[in-house]
PDB file of all heavy atoms in Angstrom:
ATOM      1  N   LEU A   1     -78.557  49.340 -65.850  1.00 82.00           N
ATOM      2  CA  LEU A   1     -79.059  50.111 -66.982  1.00 82.00           C
ATOM      3  C   LEU A   1     -80.483  50.606 -66.730  1.00 82.00           C
ATOM      4  O   LEU A   1     -80.832  51.728 -67.090  1.00 82.00           O
ATOM      5  CB  LEU A   1     -79.026  49.256 -68.260  1.00 82.00           C
ATOM      6  CG  LEU A   1     -77.630  48.906 -68.805  1.00 82.00           C
ATOM      7  CD1 LEU A   1     -77.744  47.944 -69.984  1.00 82.00           C
ATOM      8  CD2 LEU A   1     -76.876  50.161 -69.227  1.00 82.00           C
ATOM      9  N   LEU A   2     -81.293  49.763 -66.091  1.00 84.00           N
ATOM     10  CA  LEU A   2     -82.669  50.168 -65.772  1.00 84.00           C
ATOM     11  C   LEU A   2     -82.685  51.344 -64.798  1.00 84.00           C
ATOM     12  O   LEU A   2     -83.532  52.233 -64.884  1.00 84.00           O
ATOM     13  CB  LEU A   2     -83.440  48.982 -65.171  1.00 84.00           C
ATOM     14  CG  LEU A   2     -83.842  47.879 -66.152  1.00 84.00           C
ATOM     15  CD1 LEU A   2     -84.324  46.652 -65.385  1.00 84.00           C
ATOM     16  CD2 LEU A   2     -84.934  48.362 -67.105  1.00 84.00           C
ATOM     17  N   SER A   3     -81.727  51.346 -63.876  1.00 77.00           N
ATOM     18  CA  SER A   3     -81.695  52.428 -62.885  1.00 77.00           C
ATOM     19  C   SER A   3     -81.428  53.778 -63.540  1.00 77.00           C
ATOM     20  O   SER A   3     -81.834  54.815 -63.030  1.00 77.00           O
ATOM     21  CB  SER A   3     -80.621  52.141 -61.823  1.00 77.00           C
ATOM     22  OG  SER A   3     -79.313  52.308 -62.354  1.00 77.00           O
ATOM     23  N   GLU A   4     -80.749  53.759 -64.689  1.00 71.00           N
ATOM     24  CA  GLU A   4     -80.488  55.006 -65.411  1.00 71.00           C
ATOM     25  C   GLU A   4     -81.789  55.605 -65.941  1.00 71.00           C
ATOM     26  O   GLU A   4     -81.869  56.801 -66.221  1.00 71.00           O
ATOM     27  CB  GLU A   4     -79.516  54.757 -66.562  1.00 71.00           C
ATOM     28  CG  GLU A   4     -78.134  54.308 -66.098  1.00 71.00           C
ATOM     29  CD  GLU A   4     -77.215  53.960 -67.251  1.00 71.00           C
ATOM     30  OE1 GLU A   4     -77.581  54.270 -68.407  1.00 71.00           O
ATOM     31  OE2 GLU A   4     -76.137  53.389 -67.018  1.00 71.00           O
ATOM     32  N   ASP A   5     -82.809  54.743 -66.063  1.00 71.00           N
ATOM     33  CA  ASP A   5     -84.121  55.199 -66.542  1.00 71.00           C
ATOM     34  C   ASP A   5     -85.131  55.240 -65.388  1.00 71.00           C
ATOM     35  O   ASP A   5     -86.327  55.113 -65.593  1.00 71.00           O
ATOM     36  CB  ASP A   5     -84.615  54.247 -67.640  1.00 71.00           C
ATOM     37  CG  ASP A   5     -85.810  54.806 -68.393  1.00 71.00           C
ATOM     38  OD1 ASP A   5     -85.900  56.040 -68.511  1.00 71.00           O
ATOM     39  OD2 ASP A   5     -86.653  54.007 -68.838  1.00 71.00           O
ATOM     40  N   GLU A   6     -84.589  55.365 -64.143  1.00 72.00           N
ATOM     41  CA  GLU A   6     -85.404  55.479 -62.937  1.00 72.00           C
ATOM     42  C   GLU A   6     -86.292  54.258 -62.712  1.00 72.00           C
ATOM     43  O   GLU A   6     -87.404  54.371 -62.186  1.00 72.00           O
ATOM     44  CB  GLU A   6     -86.265  56.750 -62.977  1.00 72.00           C
ATOM     45  CG  GLU A   6     -85.456  58.036 -63.053  1.00 72.00           C
ATOM     46  CD  GLU A   6     -86.325  59.278 -63.076  1.00 72.00           C
ATOM     47  OE1 GLU A   6     -87.422  59.243 -62.511  1.00 72.00           O
ATOM     48  OE2 GLU A   6     -85.899  60.276 -63.664  1.00 72.00           O
ATOM     49  N   THR A   7     -85.824  53.092 -63.125  1.00 82.00           N
ATOM     50  CA  THR A   7     -86.557  51.850 -62.902  1.00 82.00           C
ATOM     51  C   THR A   7     -85.755  50.995 -61.932  1.00 82.00           C
ATOM     52  O   THR A   7     -84.609  50.646 -62.210  1.00 82.00           O
ATOM     53  CB  THR A   7     -86.769  51.088 -64.226  1.00 82.00           C
ATOM     54  OG1 THR A   7     -87.489  51.929 -65.139  1.00 82.00           O
ATOM     55  CG2 THR A   7     -87.548  49.811 -64.001  1.00 82.00           C
ATOM     56  N   THR A   8     -86.371  50.670 -60.781  1.00 82.00           N
ATOM     57  CA  THR A   8     -85.682  49.925 -59.729  1.00 82.00           C
ATOM     58  C   THR A   8     -86.167  48.477 -59.683  1.00 82.00           C
ATOM     59  O   THR A   8     -87.370  48.225 -59.700  1.00 82.00           O
ATOM     60  CB  THR A   8     -85.927  50.576 -58.359  1.00 82.00           C
ATOM     61  OG1 THR A   8     -85.398  51.897 -58.368  1.00 82.00           O
ATOM     62  CG2 THR A   8     -85.260  49.788 -57.245  1.00 82.00           C
ATOM     63  N   ILE A   9     -85.223  47.544 -59.637  1.00 83.00           N
ATOM     64  CA  ILE A   9     -85.577  46.135 -59.450  1.00 83.00           C
ATOM     65  C   ILE A   9     -84.630  45.515 -58.425  1.00 83.00           C
ATOM     66  O   ILE A   9     -83.522  46.002 -58.202  1.00 83.00           O
ATOM     67  CB  ILE A   9     -85.497  45.319 -60.764  1.00 83.00           C
ATOM     68  CG1 ILE A   9     -84.059  45.302 -61.324  1.00 83.00           C
ATOM     69  CG2 ILE A   9     -86.486  45.829 -61.789  1.00 83.00           C
ATOM     70  CD1 ILE A   9     -83.879  44.340 -62.496  1.00 83.00           C
ATOM     71  N   SER A  10     -85.114  44.454 -57.785  1.00 79.00           N
ATOM     72  CA  SER A  10     -84.273  43.616 -56.931  1.00 79.00           C
ATOM     73  C   SER A  10     -84.195  42.247 -57.601  1.00 79.00           C
ATOM     74  O   SER A  10     -85.195  41.760 -58.141  1.00 79.00           O
ATOM     75  CB  SER A  10     -84.883  43.482 -55.533  1.00 79.00           C
ATOM     76  OG  SER A  10     -84.984  44.738 -54.899  1.00 79.00           O
ATOM     77  N   ILE A  11     -83.017  41.634 -57.587  1.00 82.00           N
ATOM     78  CA  ILE A  11     -82.854  40.357 -58.293  1.00 82.00           C
ATOM     79  C   ILE A  11     -82.538  39.239 -57.304  1.00 82.00           C
ATOM     80  O   ILE A  11     -81.922  39.453 -56.269  1.00 82.00           O
ATOM     81  CB  ILE A  11     -81.748  40.443 -59.361  1.00 82.00           C
ATOM     82  CG1 ILE A  11     -80.406  40.848 -58.749  1.00 82.00           C
ATOM     83  CG2 ILE A  11     -82.137  41.418 -60.454  1.00 82.00           C
ATOM     84  CD1 ILE A  11     -79.265  40.902 -59.758  1.00 82.00           C
ATOM     85  N   SER A  12     -82.991  38.032 -57.652  1.00 78.00           N
ATOM     86  CA  SER A  12     -82.750  36.859 -56.819  1.00 78.00           C
ATOM     87  C   SER A  12     -81.418  36.221 -57.195  1.00 78.00           C
ATOM     88  O   SER A  12     -80.764  36.631 -58.158  1.00 78.00           O
ATOM     89  CB  SER A  12     -83.874  35.841 -57.019  1.00 78.00           C
ATOM     90  OG  SER A  12     -83.792  35.274 -58.334  1.00 78.00           O
ATOM     91  N   LEU A  13     -81.034  35.206 -56.453  1.00 77.00           N
ATOM     92  CA  LEU A  13     -79.870  34.399 -56.838  1.00 77.00           C
ATOM     93  C   LEU A  13     -80.261  33.495 -57.996  1.00 77.00           C
ATOM     94  O   LEU A  13     -81.428  33.110 -58.133  1.00 77.00           O
ATOM     95  CB  LEU A  13     -79.392  33.551 -55.651  1.00 77.00           C
ATOM     96  CG  LEU A  13     -78.806  34.334 -54.467  1.00 77.00           C
ATOM     97  CD1 LEU A  13     -78.528  33.374 -53.313  1.00 77.00           C
ATOM     98  CD2 LEU A  13     -77.542  35.060 -54.871  1.00 77.00           C
ATOM     99  N   PRO A  14     -79.320  33.140 -58.878  1.00 84.00           N
ATOM    100  CA  PRO A  14     -79.661  32.287 -60.020  1.00 84.00           C
ATOM    101  C   PRO A  14     -80.074  30.880 -59.581  1.00 84.00           C
ATOM    102  O   PRO A  14     -79.507  30.320 -58.635  1.00 84.00           O
ATOM    103  CB  PRO A  14     -78.349  32.238 -60.817  1.00 84.00           C
ATOM    104  CG  PRO A  14     -77.516  33.364 -60.312  1.00 84.00           C
ATOM    105  CD  PRO A  14     -77.902  33.560 -58.892  1.00 84.00           C
ATOM    106  N   LYS A  15     -81.062  30.333 -60.259  1.00 87.00           N
ATOM    107  CA  LYS A  15     -81.447  28.932 -60.081  1.00 87.00           C
ATOM    108  C   LYS A  15     -80.955  28.182 -61.316  1.00 87.00           C
ATOM    109  O   LYS A  15     -81.362  28.478 -62.440  1.00 87.00           O
ATOM    110  CB  LYS A  15     -82.967  28.793 -59.947  1.00 87.00           C
ATOM    111  CG  LYS A  15     -83.460  27.343 -59.925  1.00 87.00           C
ATOM    112  CD  LYS A  15     -84.973  27.278 -59.804  1.00 87.00           C
ATOM    113  CE  LYS A  15     -85.474  25.849 -60.001  1.00 87.00           C
ATOM    114  NZ  LYS A  15     -84.844  24.886 -59.072  1.00 87.00           N
ATOM    115  N   THR A  16     -80.055  27.246 -61.128  1.00 89.00           N
ATOM    116  CA  THR A  16     -79.471  26.543 -62.262  1.00 89.00           C
ATOM    117  C   THR A  16     -80.375  25.403 -62.726  1.00 89.00           C
ATOM    118  O   THR A  16     -81.092  24.784 -61.936  1.00 89.00           O
ATOM    119  CB  THR A  16     -78.086  25.969 -61.910  1.00 89.00           C
ATOM    120  OG1 THR A  16     -78.195  25.129 -60.752  1.00 89.00           O
ATOM    121  CG2 THR A  16     -77.102  27.095 -61.610  1.00 89.00           C
ATOM    122  N   CYS A  17     -80.323  25.135 -64.033  1.00 89.00           N
ATOM    123  CA  CYS A  17     -81.108  24.060 -64.659  1.00 89.00           C
ATOM    124  C   CYS A  17     -80.153  23.218 -65.489  1.00 89.00           C
ATOM    125  O   CYS A  17     -79.581  23.708 -66.471  1.00 89.00           O
ATOM    126  CB  CYS A  17     -82.206  24.641 -65.545  1.00 89.00           C
ATOM    127  SG  CYS A  17     -83.307  25.814 -64.693  1.00 89.00           S
ATOM    128  N   LYS A  18     -79.966  21.969 -65.091  1.00 87.00           N
ATOM    129  CA  LYS A  18     -78.935  21.150 -65.733  1.00 87.00           C
ATOM    130  C   LYS A  18     -79.365  20.584 -67.083  1.00 87.00           C
ATOM    131  O   LYS A  18     -78.544  20.038 -67.830  1.00 87.00           O
ATOM    132  CB  LYS A  18     -78.487  20.028 -64.812  1.00 87.00           C
ATOM    133  CG  LYS A  18     -79.576  19.050 -64.425  1.00 87.00           C
ATOM    134  CD  LYS A  18     -79.037  18.047 -63.409  1.00 87.00           C
ATOM    135  CE  LYS A  18     -80.131  17.073 -62.964  1.00 87.00           C
ATOM    136  NZ  LYS A  18     -79.646  16.138 -61.930  1.00 87.00           N
ATOM    137  N   ASN A  19     -80.675  20.720 -67.418  1.00 87.00           N
ATOM    138  CA  ASN A  19     -81.144  20.259 -68.725  1.00 87.00           C
ATOM    139  C   ASN A  19     -82.397  21.037 -69.124  1.00 87.00           C
ATOM    140  O   ASN A  19     -82.930  21.834 -68.344  1.00 87.00           O
ATOM    141  CB  ASN A  19     -81.419  18.751 -68.727  1.00 87.00           C
ATOM    142  CG  ASN A  19     -82.357  18.334 -67.594  1.00 87.00           C
ATOM    143  OD1 ASN A  19     -83.403  18.954 -67.390  1.00 87.00           O
ATOM    144  ND2 ASN A  19     -81.974  17.298 -66.855  1.00 87.00           N
ATOM    145  N   PHE A  20     -82.868  20.793 -70.335  1.00 86.00           N
ATOM    146  CA  PHE A  20     -84.008  21.543 -70.868  1.00 86.00           C
ATOM    147  C   PHE A  20     -85.277  21.267 -70.067  1.00 86.00           C
ATOM    148  O   PHE A  20     -86.113  22.149 -69.867  1.00 86.00           O
ATOM    149  CB  PHE A  20     -84.223  21.162 -72.337  1.00 86.00           C
ATOM    150  CG  PHE A  20     -85.327  21.923 -73.011  1.00 86.00           C
ATOM    151  CD1 PHE A  20     -85.170  23.267 -73.310  1.00 86.00           C
ATOM    152  CD2 PHE A  20     -86.523  21.300 -73.340  1.00 86.00           C
ATOM    153  CE1 PHE A  20     -86.192  23.979 -73.918  1.00 86.00           C
ATOM    154  CE2 PHE A  20     -87.538  22.004 -73.952  1.00 86.00           C
ATOM    155  CZ  PHE A  20     -87.373  23.345 -74.250  1.00 86.00           C
ATOM    156  N   SER A  21     -85.421  20.048 -69.595  1.00 86.00           N
ATOM    157  CA  SER A  21     -86.609  19.678 -68.820  1.00 86.00           C
ATOM    158  C   SER A  21     -86.711  20.516 -67.543  1.00 86.00           C
ATOM    159  O   SER A  21     -87.788  21.022 -67.194  1.00 86.00           O
ATOM    160  CB  SER A  21     -86.570  18.188 -68.464  1.00 86.00           C
ATOM    161  OG  SER A  21     -87.674  17.846 -67.656  1.00 86.00           O
ATOM    162  N   GLU A  22     -85.591  20.673 -66.831  1.00 88.00           N
ATOM    163  CA  GLU A  22     -85.585  21.491 -65.610  1.00 88.00           C
ATOM    164  C   GLU A  22     -85.885  22.956 -65.932  1.00 88.00           C
ATOM    165  O   GLU A  22     -86.586  23.635 -65.173  1.00 88.00           O
ATOM    166  CB  GLU A  22     -84.232  21.376 -64.901  1.00 88.00           C
ATOM    167  CG  GLU A  22     -84.048  20.097 -64.131  1.00 88.00           C
ATOM    168  CD  GLU A  22     -82.830  20.134 -63.225  1.00 88.00           C
ATOM    169  OE1 GLU A  22     -82.202  21.213 -63.116  1.00 88.00           O
ATOM    170  OE2 GLU A  22     -82.492  19.096 -62.637  1.00 88.00           O
ATOM    171  N   LEU A  23     -85.379  23.437 -67.058  1.00 87.00           N
ATOM    172  CA  LEU A  23     -85.622  24.812 -67.460  1.00 87.00           C
ATOM    173  C   LEU A  23     -87.109  25.044 -67.706  1.00 87.00           C
ATOM    174  O   LEU A  23     -87.693  26.035 -67.252  1.00 87.00           O
ATOM    175  CB  LEU A  23     -84.817  25.141 -68.717  1.00 87.00           C
ATOM    176  CG  LEU A  23     -84.967  26.569 -69.265  1.00 87.00           C
ATOM    177  CD1 LEU A  23     -84.398  27.587 -68.284  1.00 87.00           C
ATOM    178  CD2 LEU A  23     -84.265  26.700 -70.619  1.00 87.00           C
ATOM    179  N   MET A  24     -87.751  24.107 -68.420  1.00 87.00           N
ATOM    180  CA  MET A  24     -89.171  24.248 -68.726  1.00 87.00           C
ATOM    181  C   MET A  24     -90.020  24.151 -67.461  1.00 87.00           C
ATOM    182  O   MET A  24     -91.042  24.835 -67.336  1.00 87.00           O
ATOM    183  CB  MET A  24     -89.595  23.175 -69.730  1.00 87.00           C
ATOM    184  CG  MET A  24     -89.028  23.401 -71.127  1.00 87.00           C
ATOM    185  SD  MET A  24     -89.454  25.026 -71.817  1.00 87.00           S
ATOM    186  CE  MET A  24     -91.236  24.876 -71.920  1.00 87.00           C
ATOM    187  N   THR A  25     -89.603  23.307 -66.523  1.00 86.00           N
ATOM    188  CA  THR A  25     -90.335  23.196 -65.255  1.00 86.00           C
ATOM    189  C   THR A  25     -90.279  24.512 -64.496  1.00 86.00           C
ATOM    190  O   THR A  25     -91.262  24.948 -63.893  1.00 86.00           O
ATOM    191  CB  THR A  25     -89.732  22.070 -64.389  1.00 86.00           C
ATOM    192  OG1 THR A  25     -89.851  20.828 -65.093  1.00 86.00           O
ATOM    193  CG2 THR A  25     -90.458  21.962 -63.056  1.00 86.00           C
ATOM    194  N   THR A  26     -89.107  25.162 -64.508  1.00 86.00           N
ATOM    195  CA  THR A  26     -88.938  26.439 -63.810  1.00 86.00           C
ATOM    196  C   THR A  26     -89.744  27.550 -64.473  1.00 86.00           C
ATOM    197  O   THR A  26     -90.386  28.360 -63.803  1.00 86.00           O
ATOM    198  CB  THR A  26     -87.448  26.841 -63.783  1.00 86.00           C
ATOM    199  OG1 THR A  26     -86.691  25.807 -63.144  1.00 86.00           O
ATOM    200  CG2 THR A  26     -87.254  28.141 -63.008  1.00 86.00           C
ATOM    201  N   LEU A  27     -89.736  27.563 -65.813  1.00 83.00           N
ATOM    202  CA  LEU A  27     -90.444  28.614 -66.537  1.00 83.00           C
ATOM    203  C   LEU A  27     -91.943  28.349 -66.637  1.00 83.00           C
ATOM    204  O   LEU A  27     -92.741  29.292 -66.789  1.00 83.00           O
ATOM    205  CB  LEU A  27     -89.863  28.766 -67.954  1.00 83.00           C
ATOM    206  CG  LEU A  27     -88.429  29.279 -68.054  1.00 83.00           C
ATOM    207  CD1 LEU A  27     -87.962  29.267 -69.509  1.00 83.00           C
ATOM    208  CD2 LEU A  27     -88.322  30.685 -67.483  1.00 83.00           C
ATOM    209  N   GLY A  28     -92.339  27.069 -66.533  1.00 79.00           N
ATOM    210  CA  GLY A  28     -93.750  26.734 -66.676  1.00 79.00           C
ATOM    211  C   GLY A  28     -94.223  26.982 -68.098  1.00 79.00           C
ATOM    212  O   GLY A  28     -93.448  26.927 -69.058  1.00 79.00           O
ATOM    213  N   ASN A  29     -95.483  27.309 -68.240  1.00 78.00           N
ATOM    214  CA  ASN A  29     -96.041  27.574 -69.571  1.00 78.00           C
ATOM    215  C   ASN A  29     -96.187  29.072 -69.837  1.00 78.00           C
ATOM    216  O   ASN A  29     -97.049  29.497 -70.604  1.00 78.00           O
ATOM    217  CB  ASN A  29     -97.405  26.884 -69.709  1.00 78.00           C
ATOM    218  CG  ASN A  29     -97.276  25.375 -69.655  1.00 78.00           C
ATOM    219  OD1 ASN A  29     -96.364  24.801 -70.238  1.00 78.00           O
ATOM    220  ND2 ASN A  29     -98.194  24.728 -68.941  1.00 78.00           N
ATOM    221  N   ARG A  30     -95.360  29.863 -69.160  1.00 80.00           N
ATOM    222  CA  ARG A  30     -95.469  31.310 -69.299  1.00 80.00           C
ATOM    223  C   ARG A  30     -95.140  31.774 -70.711  1.00 80.00           C
ATOM    224  O   ARG A  30     -94.199  31.285 -71.332  1.00 80.00           O
ATOM    225  CB  ARG A  30     -94.522  32.017 -68.320  1.00 80.00           C
ATOM    226  CG  ARG A  30     -94.873  31.846 -66.853  1.00 80.00           C
ATOM    227  CD  ARG A  30     -93.853  32.594 -66.002  1.00 80.00           C
ATOM    228  NE  ARG A  30     -94.152  32.515 -64.589  1.00 80.00           N
ATOM    229  CZ  ARG A  30     -93.755  31.518 -63.795  1.00 80.00           C
ATOM    230  NH1 ARG A  30     -93.036  30.525 -64.285  1.00 80.00           N
ATOM    231  NH2 ARG A  30     -94.071  31.533 -62.516  1.00 80.00           N
ATOM    232  N   GLN A  31     -95.910  32.731 -71.160  1.00 83.00           N
ATOM    233  CA  GLN A  31     -95.568  33.363 -72.426  1.00 83.00           C
ATOM    234  C   GLN A  31     -94.528  34.443 -72.152  1.00 83.00           C
ATOM    235  O   GLN A  31     -94.572  35.131 -71.140  1.00 83.00           O
ATOM    236  CB  GLN A  31     -96.800  33.997 -73.067  1.00 83.00           C
ATOM    237  CG  GLN A  31     -96.537  34.528 -74.476  1.00 83.00           C
ATOM    238  CD  GLN A  31     -97.771  35.119 -75.099  1.00 83.00           C
ATOM    239  OE1 GLN A  31     -98.361  36.036 -74.558  1.00 83.00           O
ATOM    240  NE2 GLN A  31     -98.174  34.593 -76.247  1.00 83.00           N
ATOM    241  N   GLY A  32     -93.568  34.563 -73.036  1.00 87.00           N
ATOM    242  CA  GLY A  32     -92.517  35.545 -72.831  1.00 87.00           C
ATOM    243  C   GLY A  32     -91.905  35.967 -74.145  1.00 87.00           C
ATOM    244  O   GLY A  32     -92.454  35.704 -75.223  1.00 87.00           O
ATOM    245  N   VAL A  33     -90.769  36.621 -74.042  1.00 90.00           N
ATOM    246  CA  VAL A  33     -90.026  37.017 -75.240  1.00 90.00           C
ATOM    247  C   VAL A  33     -88.764  36.170 -75.308  1.00 90.00           C
ATOM    248  O   VAL A  33     -87.947  36.183 -74.384  1.00 90.00           O
ATOM    249  CB  VAL A  33     -89.649  38.512 -75.203  1.00 90.00           C
ATOM    250  CG1 VAL A  33     -88.854  38.880 -76.456  1.00 90.00           C
ATOM    251  CG2 VAL A  33     -90.891  39.381 -75.092  1.00 90.00           C
ATOM    252  N   GLN A  34     -88.627  35.413 -76.364  1.00 89.00           N
ATOM    253  CA  GLN A  34     -87.420  34.616 -76.573  1.00 89.00           C
ATOM    254  C   GLN A  34     -86.492  35.367 -77.510  1.00 89.00           C
ATOM    255  O   GLN A  34     -86.881  35.771 -78.600  1.00 89.00           O
ATOM    256  CB  GLN A  34     -87.766  33.250 -77.170  1.00 89.00           C
ATOM    257  CG  GLN A  34     -86.528  32.371 -77.396  1.00 89.00           C
ATOM    258  CD  GLN A  34     -86.896  30.978 -77.849  1.00 89.00           C
ATOM    259  OE1 GLN A  34     -87.765  30.330 -77.251  1.00 89.00           O
ATOM    260  NE2 GLN A  34     -86.252  30.491 -78.901  1.00 89.00           N
ATOM    261  N   ILE A  35     -85.262  35.570 -77.058  1.00 91.00           N
ATOM    262  CA  ILE A  35     -84.268  36.270 -77.866  1.00 91.00           C
ATOM    263  C   ILE A  35     -83.195  35.271 -78.277  1.00 91.00           C
ATOM    264  O   ILE A  35     -82.535  34.669 -77.414  1.00 91.00           O
ATOM    265  CB  ILE A  35     -83.621  37.441 -77.087  1.00 91.00           C
ATOM    266  CG1 ILE A  35     -84.693  38.415 -76.585  1.00 91.00           C
ATOM    267  CG2 ILE A  35     -82.628  38.179 -77.959  1.00 91.00           C
ATOM    268  CD1 ILE A  35     -84.998  38.273 -75.117  1.00 91.00           C
ATOM    269  N   ASP A  36     -83.048  35.051 -79.559  1.00 90.00           N
ATOM    270  CA  ASP A  36     -82.014  34.151 -80.072  1.00 90.00           C
ATOM    271  C   ASP A  36     -80.746  34.971 -80.315  1.00 90.00           C
ATOM    272  O   ASP A  36     -80.758  35.944 -81.079  1.00 90.00           O
ATOM    273  CB  ASP A  36     -82.462  33.483 -81.361  1.00 90.00           C
ATOM    274  CG  ASP A  36     -83.662  32.554 -81.150  1.00 90.00           C
ATOM    275  OD1 ASP A  36     -83.979  32.273 -79.970  1.00 90.00           O
ATOM    276  OD2 ASP A  36     -84.274  32.133 -82.146  1.00 90.00           O
ATOM    277  N   LEU A  37     -79.666  34.570 -79.642  1.00 89.00           N
ATOM    278  CA  LEU A  37     -78.398  35.278 -79.741  1.00 89.00           C
ATOM    279  C   LEU A  37     -77.347  34.388 -80.383  1.00 89.00           C
ATOM    280  O   LEU A  37     -77.511  33.156 -80.463  1.00 89.00           O
ATOM    281  CB  LEU A  37     -77.922  35.703 -78.351  1.00 89.00           C
ATOM    282  CG  LEU A  37     -78.883  36.552 -77.509  1.00 89.00           C
ATOM    283  CD1 LEU A  37     -78.356  36.687 -76.087  1.00 89.00           C
ATOM    284  CD2 LEU A  37     -79.057  37.920 -78.126  1.00 89.00           C
ATOM    285  N   LEU A  38     -76.261  35.011 -80.800  1.00 88.00           N
ATOM    286  CA  LEU A  38     -75.111  34.273 -81.324  1.00 88.00           C
ATOM    287  C   LEU A  38     -73.858  34.738 -80.595  1.00 88.00           C
ATOM    288  O   LEU A  38     -73.652  35.939 -80.407  1.00 88.00           O
ATOM    289  CB  LEU A  38     -74.943  34.512 -82.825  1.00 88.00           C
ATOM    290  CG  LEU A  38     -76.004  33.941 -83.771  1.00 88.00           C
ATOM    291  CD1 LEU A  38     -75.728  34.394 -85.198  1.00 88.00           C
ATOM    292  CD2 LEU A  38     -76.046  32.410 -83.694  1.00 88.00           C
ATOM    293  N   LEU A  39     -73.051  33.790 -80.161  1.00 85.00           N
ATOM    294  CA  LEU A  39     -71.734  34.083 -79.609  1.00 85.00           C
ATOM    295  C   LEU A  39     -70.715  33.386 -80.477  1.00 85.00           C
ATOM    296  O   LEU A  39     -70.663  32.152 -80.527  1.00 85.00           O
ATOM    297  CB  LEU A  39     -71.616  33.585 -78.153  1.00 85.00           C
ATOM    298  CG  LEU A  39     -70.252  33.783 -77.494  1.00 85.00           C
ATOM    299  CD1 LEU A  39     -69.902  35.271 -77.414  1.00 85.00           C
ATOM    300  CD2 LEU A  39     -70.225  33.154 -76.102  1.00 85.00           C
ATOM    301  N   ASN A  40     -69.931  34.177 -81.208  1.00 84.00           N
ATOM    302  CA  ASN A  40     -69.004  33.619 -82.205  1.00 84.00           C
ATOM    303  C   ASN A  40     -69.742  32.687 -83.170  1.00 84.00           C
ATOM    304  O   ASN A  40     -69.292  31.583 -83.469  1.00 84.00           O
ATOM    305  CB  ASN A  40     -67.856  32.877 -81.516  1.00 84.00           C
ATOM    306  CG  ASN A  40     -66.915  33.821 -80.803  1.00 84.00           C
ATOM    307  OD1 ASN A  40     -66.940  35.024 -81.035  1.00 84.00           O
ATOM    308  ND2 ASN A  40     -66.097  33.284 -79.922  1.00 84.00           N
ATOM    309  N   ASN A  41     -70.932  33.175 -83.606  1.00 86.00           N
ATOM    310  CA  ASN A  41     -71.780  32.459 -84.573  1.00 86.00           C
ATOM    311  C   ASN A  41     -72.368  31.157 -84.046  1.00 86.00           C
ATOM    312  O   ASN A  41     -72.824  30.325 -84.829  1.00 86.00           O
ATOM    313  CB  ASN A  41     -70.997  32.188 -85.875  1.00 86.00           C
ATOM    314  CG  ASN A  41     -70.710  33.468 -86.638  1.00 86.00           C
ATOM    315  OD1 ASN A  41     -71.576  34.329 -86.748  1.00 86.00           O
ATOM    316  ND2 ASN A  41     -69.488  33.589 -87.149  1.00 86.00           N
ATOM    317  N   LYS A  42     -72.375  30.990 -82.743  1.00 85.00           N
ATOM    318  CA  LYS A  42     -72.991  29.795 -82.152  1.00 85.00           C
ATOM    319  C   LYS A  42     -74.169  30.223 -81.278  1.00 85.00           C
ATOM    320  O   LYS A  42     -74.102  31.239 -80.587  1.00 85.00           O
ATOM    321  CB  LYS A  42     -71.959  29.022 -81.328  1.00 85.00           C
ATOM    322  CG  LYS A  42     -70.823  28.489 -82.196  1.00 85.00           C
ATOM    323  CD  LYS A  42     -69.785  27.764 -81.371  1.00 85.00           C
ATOM    324  CE  LYS A  42     -68.642  27.262 -82.270  1.00 85.00           C
ATOM    325  NZ  LYS A  42     -67.572  26.609 -81.474  1.00 85.00           N
ATOM    326  N   PRO A  43     -75.279  29.447 -81.317  1.00 86.00           N
ATOM    327  CA  PRO A  43     -76.531  29.916 -80.707  1.00 86.00           C
ATOM    328  C   PRO A  43     -76.570  29.802 -79.177  1.00 86.00           C
ATOM    329  O   PRO A  43     -76.066  28.853 -78.590  1.00 86.00           O
ATOM    330  CB  PRO A  43     -77.583  28.995 -81.339  1.00 86.00           C
ATOM    331  CG  PRO A  43     -76.832  27.726 -81.621  1.00 86.00           C
ATOM    332  CD  PRO A  43     -75.439  28.159 -82.004  1.00 86.00           C
ATOM    333  N   LEU A  44     -77.193  30.788 -78.571  1.00 87.00           N
ATOM    334  CA  LEU A  44     -77.586  30.724 -77.171  1.00 87.00           C
ATOM    335  C   LEU A  44     -78.881  31.519 -77.042  1.00 87.00           C
ATOM    336  O   LEU A  44     -79.245  32.277 -77.947  1.00 87.00           O
ATOM    337  CB  LEU A  44     -76.507  31.243 -76.236  1.00 87.00           C
ATOM    338  CG  LEU A  44     -76.076  32.697 -76.324  1.00 87.00           C
ATOM    339  CD1 LEU A  44     -75.488  33.152 -74.988  1.00 87.00           C
ATOM    340  CD2 LEU A  44     -74.998  32.863 -77.394  1.00 87.00           C
TER     341      LEU A  44
END
């Protein structure tokens, strides 16, 4: 979708996180945008 707007990116392979602690270690204390989604009314 980004390429349709002339924006080019290269992506890495996914790094899996088996729990919240691993996720926070990977993300660090970075500020970002958190998007709360629902799949069949259940949160992700």
Side-chain angles (χ1 to χ4, degrees):
L1 292 174
L2 287 168
S3 72
E4 296 175 11
D5 192 31
E6 299 181 29
T7 301
T8 298
I9 62 171
S10 299
I11 58 178
S12 69
L13 293 174
K15 173 181 171 56
T16 55
C17 305
K18 61 185 178 183
N19 53 48
F20 183 71
S21 177
E22 283 191 6
L23 180 66
M24 290 304 296
T25 299
T26 302
L27 294 175
N29 295 319
R30 293 180 178 86
Q31 187 179 58
V33 179
Q34 181 174 312
I35 304 103
D36 295 348
L37 304 171
L38 292 175
L39 177 62
N40 290 345
N41 291 318
K42 296 178 181 177
L44 63 155

